[in-house]
Amino acid sequence: MEITVIEGSPHLKGVSSTMAERFVEGAREAGNNVEVVSVPRLKVGVCRACEACGRSGPCVQQDDMTAVRSRILASDMLVFVTPVYFCGFSAQLKTVIDRFYSFSANLKTRGTAAVLIAASADREDWTMDAVRIQYDSLCRYMGFRDAGRVLAVGCPSAQSPGVRDFSDQAYLLGKSVS
């Protein structure tokens, strides 16, 4: 299986990135081909809503999203990885998702599987409500098949006590996909 992990955290060793690493480890052990796209390291502009793409591309912007687009369209599974700062996907991840617009006509018909990995410093489970809604809506609109999620709460840093348990869940989720 071709898997693309789309990491939306600016912290290379943060909680969501740590969980993503464990997912990747499990997925590779299960025999999958996994590529990680670290969005904060790319130059990706916001969607301009110019409609030039006609939802099947190409986008008029010449930036790193061109390569990301190719990888996404070649994937059987997309893994969305995000820290939760203020009730939703990180701005970095949301920028890439908004750019799906330029090829949504092609992406919607693929039946791609999707996974969500998210981390929040807050201990309250309700802090993940907006992320759940955002992800569920994305899956519904794009025709993605939800293949699982790991939602880590109470994890302000990668050294937090609960991170190991959530990272193990991400590893097992990765190991289960094939």
Side-chain angles (χ1 to χ4, degrees):
M1 177 182 290
E2 292 291 325
I3 301 173
T4 298
V5 176
I6 306 170
E7 263 195 72
S9 176
H11 301 287
L12 287 174
K13 297 296 179 187
V15 179
S16 60
S17 296
T18 299
M19 293 190 323
E21 286 174 9
R22 291 288 285 152
F23 176 89
V24 169
E25 182 183 346
R28 286 185 175 147
E29 285 178 14
N32 298 291
N33 183 36
V34 183
E35 183 174 322
V36 178
V37 175
S38 182
V39 176
R41 291 3 107 289
L42 302 175
K43 289 188 173 144
V44 177
V46 298
C47 178
R48 297 177 185 167
C50 66
E51 299 289 337
C53 64
R55 297 187 325 153
S56 58
C59 179
V60 296
Q61 297 186 66
Q62 300 298 311
D63 59 14
D64 292 337
M65 193 63 193
T66 304
V68 174
R69 173 187 193 260
S70 297
R71 178 63 197 172
I72 288 170
L73 288 172
S75 297
D76 303 303
M77 175 180 280
L78 300 175
V79 181
F80 299 96
V81 180
T82 187
V84 178
Y85 298 132
F86 289 99
C87 304
F89 292 158
S90 70
Q92 294 87 342
L93 180 60
K94 186 67 170 80
T95 298
V96 167
I97 291 170
D98 285 350
R99 290 285 297 279
F100 285 8
Y101 185 81
S102 69
F103 58 101
S104 62
N106 307 79
L107 190 54
K108 279 181 149 183
T109 61
R110 298 184 37 79
T112 305
V115 165
L116 173 63
I117 296 174
S120 173
D122 200 298
R123 288 186 175 95
E124 301 297 328
D125 187 56
W126 66 261
T127 60
M128 289 293 181
D129 289 351
V131 173
R132 284 184 195 99
I133 291 168
Q134 229 175 345
Y135 174 73
D136 290 342
S137 298
L138 176 65
C139 287
R140 185 174 181 184
Y141 182 75
M142 296 303 296
F144 296 159
R145 181 178 40 82
D146 177 26
R149 52 187 91 182
V150 179
L151 306 176
V153 294
C155 298
S157 76
Q159 292 74 39
S160 299
V163 173
R164 182 179 175 102
D165 290 339
F166 290 116
S167 294
D168 288 347
Q169 289 175 34
Y171 169 80
L172 293 173
L173 180 56
K175 190 99 169 141
S176 74
V177 299
S178 57

